[in-house]
Amino acid sequence: MNNDEIRQMRSEARKRKGLQERDNDQSLKDLSLKSRQKFKDMKNMDEIKRVLFDDNPALEHVWAGHEYRDDQNYHMSAECYKQAADMRNPEGMYNLALFMINGQGVSKDYPQALKLLLEISKFDAFD
């Protein structure tokens, strides 16, 4: 590979990176004014959690599951994910499926994990 080819590849990579950044910026601009305003004036994490959980009660279980997972309390984490999954929250279902595949906090159960993953695939990507 010669210098001209390397320059061309670097130029193409920069161009692609620029397009990707522009697309990401546009996605942020597309957020509704209402959504942006909700978070603009918040001063602390408790206030952010309150707003998030008011809009999506299952998210509180997912959040707790993440906190237990980070503390390596997999049994409690799996319980929280199960509660979120019972509320048809895709993130709770996904994390519970991962725990079932790895046997973390629950028994390994590949068929049930697959069932959850297939159910998640029916959700819109935004969910």
Side-chain angles (χ1 to χ4, degrees):
M1 194 175 283
N2 64 37
N3 286 341
D4 289 336
E5 291 173 325
I6 293 171
R7 280 190 204 101
Q8 180 65 29
M9 289 174 64
R10 186 173 27 174
S11 174
E12 183 64 29
R14 285 182 182 149
K15 185 169 134 183
R16 286 184 183 177
K17 182 180 179 206
L19 290 172
Q20 186 177 26
E21 287 172 353
R22 187 192 76 210
D23 289 346
N24 288 342
D25 288 345
Q26 187 61 43
S27 294
L28 291 175
K29 290 175 187 172
D30 290 343
L31 287 175
S32 71
L33 180 60
K34 182 180 177 184
S35 295
R36 285 184 281 162
Q37 190 61 40
K38 272 186 183 179
F39 295 103
K40 184 178 179 185
D41 299 323
M42 292 184 189
K43 305 290 187 249
N44 61 48
M45 185 59 78
D46 290 334
E47 193 174 351
I48 292 172
K49 284 182 185 179
R50 183 185 51 76
V51 169
L52 289 173
F53 300 158
D54 283 350
D55 288 346
N56 185 352
L59 188 58
E60 187 168 5
H61 297 295
V62 172
W63 193 292
H66 291 341
E67 289 178 340
Y68 282 121
R69 180 200 61 205
D70 293 346
D71 291 337
Q72 296 182 353
N73 186 341
Y74 300 122
H75 176 75
M76 287 301 298
S77 182
E79 276 298 313
C80 291
Y81 292 145
K82 183 178 181 332
Q83 289 174 341
D86 289 345
M87 298 171 81
R88 300 207 24 85
N89 176 278
E91 188 174 359
M93 295 165 80
Y94 173 76
N95 283 288
L96 182 57
L98 291 181
F99 275 37
M100 289 176 170
I101 290 168
N102 295 313
Q104 291 176 301
V106 294
S107 299
K108 285 187 178 185
D109 190 343
Y110 298 116
Q112 184 62 31
L114 180 59
K115 188 175 177 182
L116 284 171
L117 294 172
L118 289 171
E119 186 64 27
I120 294 166
S121 70
K122 297 176 186 173
F123 285 86
D124 289 336
F126 184 78
D127 290 341

